[in-house]
Amino acid sequence: MSEPQGESTRLRDTIDRLRGEVEGQRRAMRTRAVIEQAKGILIERFSCTADEAFSHLVQLSQDGNRRVVDIAADLLATVAPPDADEGGPVAALPQPAPVGRAPAPSGPRAGSRSVAGDFAARYHLAASALGSAEAPDELAALLTEAALAPLGVGAVALTLLEPDGALRLVASHGVPAHQLSQWQRIPPSMSLPMTDAVRNGTIVWARRSEFAARYPDLKGEDLVPGETVCALPLRTGERLIGAMKLGWPGDFHADRPVERYLSALARLCAAQLLRVLAPSTEEAGAPLPSGEPWFRAVLDALLDPVLILNAVRETEGKVTDLRVEHANAATIDLAGRTGQDITGRLLSELYPGMVSSGTFRHLLDVAATGVPYRGEAEQYVEVVGGAVHGSTMTLHATPFLDGVLVSWRTHDEQELGEHQLAQAQRLAGIGTWQWGVSAGHLDCSPEVFRLLGRPERAALGTLGLAEAEAVVAPADRVAVRLLAERLLAGHASATLEFRVVRGDGVTRTVRAIAESVPGQRDGELLAVRGVVQDISAWRRTERALTETRAQLAEQVRQTAVEHRVVRALQHALMDVPGGPSPSKLDVAAHYLPAESDGRVGGDWYDALTLPDDTVLIAVGDVSGHGLRAAAGMAQLRDALRGMAFTGAQPDQMLQRLNEMLCHLGSEFIATAVCGRLDPEHRTLTWARAGHLPPLLVHDGAARYLDQPPGMLLGAHPGADYRSTVLDLERDDVVLLFTDGLVERRGESLDRGLGRLLTAAAEYKVPNLRGRLDHILRRLKAPNPQDDTCIIGLQLT
């Protein structure tokens, strides 16, 4: 028994030894490329043999007390710094001194390496290590161990971009199994760091505390654990193939050298990921199906042209153009160019007409946002070689990997007409139907099923007679049966409006127009056919118009009543007795309502002889129109008359009117000019409240009086009003007026005041009424938009 056991032990030891040797060889392979490249550099520099170059590396290792592979990596970092991106090499910062040419041992010493040099050296170590990976997960593990662990990275995930824009998880390290099972595929519509990195083509940083605000789509745990995460696009040349995501367990802040180092690793990882996936038959074909012969053969079998366009991005990741990667066999563009003629060229250079029409912008948006574009039967025009080429075509574009897949179909005249007819039917809500009298169903166009709320039935194209009758509203079924009976009895055509109840419960009003199709023999009926149209919107509009007409009629009636009341009130107020006419004074006035009957305003005037033989003269304008304005006018006019009888001066009267309006909280404001004329002493004491100043005509010259301060009535309870005294002479004329006399829509007030000044001065006859009539004619009164008041006084 002892001998077999000894044999088993020896066999187990041998297997363990061989396994260890294999593992050792694999570890050696991870660094062998770095050492061999360093030996090549030394052979070129020193013109020595391979053994001498290796001895030199060993000597440097012993002098610096460092591993041979680290010495080799430093040498590569100095001589061949890797490119991270278009911005320049990783080792753009100061580099370690280059290895000397003297045969004596020399080189970088421990502690002399810069930050950039350390990144560049570690990049070469990572490149050598990743080159030995045989599976995606091993690639992720080696990436973490050889390149990212010194930065504190605790988890890595690698994803591939699928044709529809989704990201498929293909490798990871440091990610818990339960999270891997939940994140096998990330839809393109989700907003996450990796989808943002792919969509924008740039590096994305995020901290866990920001996720709720930045990424509301994330529910539950994230794929990559950590307090700080970073997502980078994976590229091979110009082609974007996926995304890489890194996670740090704590707070991590990256500077520019770190970002450049990570970008270089992302490019390195992308190439190695394609290598380890290429031989796999379980990865749904090739990672990039657009380049596979079988995929291109499928495209070539299609009847319509198909283009695969790759996104061309700026350094910041913005899509600026699209490059034709592949065109199938059916591709012939407007200029007659085949797919072979346009492959590899930029879309903006090929089709400038597409750029100017805006279609090019739509395609860029598809690449940037992942939202498909459908252009239906549009006109496309291109100028190639001086010749104009145009055609009507339907163009569809959908996101595909890091770009767009575009197909189009050119329409001939018949096809275009059918498309336009279908589009017109869809827009007008019209569907066609036919009933063979011997059949038990109706043949219907797709629009009929959309009208009935059953678009899923459109593909069948038929509707049973019992089912058709069931969708008719119960109250209208008798009318529909009578229509069918008339057509079967020989009527050539018939029209009927009825209601249908859609599948979603909504009731619609439709109009059906039907005609009979006679056979070859007399009295024979083959079929009944017709159209049905949704007229619900028309009927709603008619009802709304009927209601609106009724409301307008009522409003017109009420307005007419109010108009008559206001006119009566205004005339009653204007006809109030003004007392006996004083000697040595002529007074004349005109009130002209606006030409528009609907705009009855609050303009008013007054001339009242007071007990002391002085005359109250006033004019005013209450804000607004209608009955309220007329009532406000009456309130102010009566209050002013009452105060005038007390002997109050004009500024006192305006002060009290203002206090009254402010105290009562009136809904209107008003302007006014009032004065007390003393014919005996030929003086006019007057004050104003926000109103235009009076006009004086003296010795044939006209001028406006200087305005004393005075705010409009009802605006501020503490407003200040001042009276001023004007000395008059015989034949002097004073005119008070409202703004309706001088204001015109579209003109400045100064222009209207200038016209009034001219008209008042050019009338030379000493007749006050004639002067007012002349002014009204010259200023084309009445005003179409506002009432007009003018009152004049003349000393005789």
Side-chain angles (χ1 to χ4, degrees):
M1 295 295 293
S2 60
E3 184 173 351
Q5 288 181 351
E7 185 68 24
S8 175
T9 300
R10 286 194 298 272
L11 180 59
R12 186 166 54 251
D13 293 341
T14 301
I15 292 174
D16 290 342
R17 179 177 53 79
L18 292 175
R19 183 183 292 115
E21 291 177 358
V22 170
E23 184 60 29
Q25 289 179 358
R26 292 190 64 188
R27 285 196 300 269
M29 287 295 294
R30 296 172 188 172
T31 59
R32 181 176 178 180
V34 175
I35 296 175
E36 291 301 321
Q37 292 178 62
K39 285 168 59 178
I41 293 173
L42 292 176
I43 290 172
E44 185 275 330
R45 284 201 171 182
F46 298 151
S47 299
C48 61
T49 64
D51 290 340
E52 290 173 339
F54 184 72
S55 297
H56 187 72
L57 290 176
V58 172
Q59 185 64 48
L60 292 174
S61 173
Q62 294 173 352
D63 292 344
N65 193 24
R66 299 174 61 211
R67 296 186 307 167
V68 172
V69 67
D70 292 333
I71 297 296
D74 283 347
L75 180 60
L76 289 179
T78 303
V79 177
D83 285 343
D85 50 31
E86 292 80 355
V90 170
L93 297 179
Q95 296 296 307
V99 177
R101 293 185 177 272
S106 62
R109 297 190 303 269
S112 66
R113 301 155 67 224
S114 68
V115 174
D118 182 65
F119 283 152
R122 189 160 296 280
Y123 171 86
H124 287 288
L125 290 173
S128 179
L130 297 185
S132 67
E134 298 179 357
D137 284 341
E138 183 184 8
L139 180 72
L142 291 175
L143 177 66
T144 305
E145 176 186 339
L148 298 173
L151 294 179
V153 174
V156 175
L158 303 178
T159 60
L160 277 182
L161 182 65
E162 295 195 322
D164 64 349
L167 291 173
R168 178 165 53 93
L169 181 64
V170 294
S172 66
H173 180 74
V175 180
H178 71 278
Q179 290 175 235
L180 293 176
S181 66
Q182 299 173 10
W183 290 95
Q184 289 298 302
R185 190 173 190 272
I186 303 174
S189 58
M190 289 191 71
S191 178
L192 293 170
M194 277 199 289
T195 55
D196 286 352
V198 169
R199 188 177 298 113
N200 301 324
T202 57
I203 186 170
V204 176
W205 290 92
R207 288 173 172 78
R208 194 64 57 188
S209 59
E210 305 170 343
F211 264 58
R214 289 180 59 181
Y215 302 108
D217 291 345
L218 179 62
K219 307 298 182 184
E221 293 183 296
D222 190 16
L223 167 61
V224 175
E227 291 300 317
T228 304
V229 296
C230 172
L232 302 99
L234 294 178
R235 293 182 178 279
T236 56
E238 289 186 355
R239 178 176 297 169
L240 188 147
I241 69 163
M244 174 173 71
K245 191 173 182 181
L246 315 176
W248 283 262
D251 196 19
F252 181 79
H253 296 274
D255 54 14
R256 182 56 178 160
V258 169
E259 288 195 349
R260 296 173 69 81
Y261 174 61
L262 294 179
S263 297
L265 289 178
R267 290 181 175 272
L268 175 64
C269 183
Q272 294 297 337
L273 185 61
L274 293 183
R275 177 185 62 80
V276 298
L277 288 174
S280 173
T281 59
E282 300 177 357
E283 294 294 339
L288 296 176
S290 59
E292 289 298 300
W294 67 264
F295 181 73
R296 297 192 175 192
V298 170
L299 297 185
D300 287 344
L302 301 178
L303 295 177
D304 293 327
V306 177
L307 298 182
I308 297 176
L309 308 174
N310 278 344
V312 178
R313 299 177 182 267
E314 295 177 341
T315 305
E316 296 79 11
K318 180 182 179 182
V319 180
T320 58
D321 211 332
L322 296 165
R323 190 183 302 278
V324 180
E325 178 190 355
H326 177 70
N328 70 342
T331 299
I332 299 179
D333 66 8
L334 294 179
R337 295 173 294 195
T338 65
Q340 186 176 1
D341 298 328
I342 64 177
T343 298
R345 299 179 63 181
L346 294 176
L347 202 67
S348 61
E349 298 175 354
L350 287 169
Y351 306 115
M354 185 179 290
V355 176
S356 60
S357 68
T359 304
F360 178 72
R361 170 50 55 186
H362 290 308
L363 299 183
L364 293 184
D365 291 341
V366 174
T369 65
V371 179
Y373 167 72
R374 299 172 68 89
E376 301 291 343
E378 297 179 2
Q379 183 71 26
Y380 292 87
V381 177
E382 290 295 343
V383 179
V384 180
V388 179
H389 307 272
S391 179
T392 300
M393 60 180 65
T394 293
L395 183 146
H396 291 181
T398 187
F400 182 79
L401 297 173
D402 187 31
V404 182
L405 189 145
V406 177
S407 64
W408 68 87
R409 175 172 295 177
T410 303
H411 301 286
D412 56 26
E413 291 300 324
Q414 178 180 355
E415 194 175 30
L416 179 60
E418 293 174 353
H419 178 86
Q420 292 174 338
L421 177 60
Q423 188 176 32
Q425 289 180 348
R426 184 172 62 255
L427 294 175
I430 297 176
T432 60
W433 55 272
Q434 179 166 311
W435 170 39
V437 294
S438 60
H441 62 269
L442 301 175
D443 295 317
C444 304
S445 69
E447 190 58 36
V448 172
F449 295 97
R450 282 193 288 270
L451 186 151
L452 297 177
R454 294 178 171 86
E456 70 280 358
R457 296 284 304 277
L460 299 177
T462 60
L463 188 67
L465 293 179
E467 187 180 8
E469 184 177 5
V471 301
V472 178
D476 295 336
R477 289 175 185 172
V478 174
V480 172
R481 293 193 192 103
L482 292 176
L483 173 71
E485 291 173 359
R486 286 199 301 272
L487 292 170
L488 292 174
H491 285 76
S493 62
T495 301
L496 179 66
E497 287 186 17
F498 57 93
R499 291 162 296 170
V500 298
V501 182
R502 291 163 43 107
D504 53 9
V506 176
T507 300
R508 311 289 290 182
T509 301
V510 300
R511 176 188 290 132
I513 303 175
E515 64 178 4
S516 58
V517 181
Q520 296 294 330
R521 297 186 298 271
D522 291 341
E524 182 183 17
L525 183 64
L526 295 180
V528 177
R529 64 191 177 192
V531 298
V532 61
Q533 182 177 18
D534 186 350
I535 60 172
S536 303
W538 296 357
R539 290 295 173 254
R540 285 197 302 270
T541 302
E542 286 180 352
R543 289 193 295 271
L545 286 174
T546 300
E547 294 174 0
T548 302
R549 290 191 190 101
Q551 293 173 358
L552 288 175
E554 177 62 20
Q555 185 175 354
V556 168
R557 187 189 67 80
Q558 293 179 356
T559 301
V561 171
E562 181 180 333
H563 181 77
R564 289 194 297 271
V565 172
V566 173
R567 282 281 184 256
L569 178 59
Q570 285 180 321
H571 286 295
L573 290 170
M574 298 307 176
D575 292 340
V576 172
S581 299
S583 59
K584 305 179 183 180
L585 179 65
D586 189 10
V587 179
H590 283 290
Y591 168 74
L592 300 176
E595 286 187 340
S596 174
D597 289 341
R599 294 182 60 84
V600 179
D603 292 29
W604 59 276
Y605 70 86
D606 199 3
L608 174 66
T609 302
L610 298 171
D612 59 358
D613 290 331
T614 62
V615 178
L616 170 68
I617 183 168
V619 69
D621 188 0
V622 176
S623 62
H625 297 84
L627 192 56
R628 287 183 179 273
M633 172 192 69
Q635 182 181 13
L636 289 181
R637 189 169 183 265
D638 291 342
L640 189 66
R641 279 194 163 200
M643 286 185 285
F645 276 105
T646 67
Q649 292 300 308
D651 59 339
Q652 296 172 334
M653 289 188 284
L654 293 180
Q655 180 76 39
R656 291 167 185 168
L657 283 178
N658 181 63
E659 292 173 354
M660 179 186 73
L661 292 182
C662 292
H663 176 72
L664 296 177
S666 300
E667 297 179 357
F668 59 84
I669 56 177
T671 64
V673 173
C674 71
R676 185 183 288 270
L677 176 67
D678 185 348
E680 182 67 27
H681 297 90
R682 299 185 183 275
T683 60
L684 174 65
T685 302
W686 67 281
R688 58 178 287 275
H691 202 87
L692 296 172
L695 184 147
L696 172 65
V697 181
H698 174 72
D699 287 341
R703 68 178 178 87
Y704 292 104
L705 302 182
D706 295 335
Q707 303 183 63
M711 186 181 295
L712 53 82
L713 302 173
H716 179 60
D720 182 36
Y721 301 93
R722 304 278 181 85
S723 291
T724 184
V725 179
L726 174 68
D727 293 325
L728 299 172
E729 297 181 11
R730 185 178 179 181
D731 294 330
D732 281 357
V733 177
V734 177
L735 300 178
L736 283 72
F737 54 92
T738 60
D739 55 6
L741 180 65
V742 293
E743 281 189 333
R744 295 295 183 271
R745 181 172 294 177
E747 291 185 356
S748 67
L749 179 60
D750 290 341
R751 186 173 180 181
L753 290 172
R755 282 202 302 266
L756 174 58
L757 206 65
T758 301
E762 67 186 6
Y763 190 80
K764 303 302 182 182
V765 179
N767 184 306
L768 181 60
R769 287 170 179 76
R771 187 185 298 272
L772 295 188
D773 292 339
H774 172 76
I775 290 173
L776 293 175
R777 286 195 302 272
R778 288 297 305 273
L779 271 65
K780 298 180 181 180
N783 187 332
Q785 304 298 326
D786 199 1
D787 293 354
T788 299
C789 279
I790 183 170
I791 183 170
L793 54 90
Q794 183 175 12
L795 292 177
T796 58

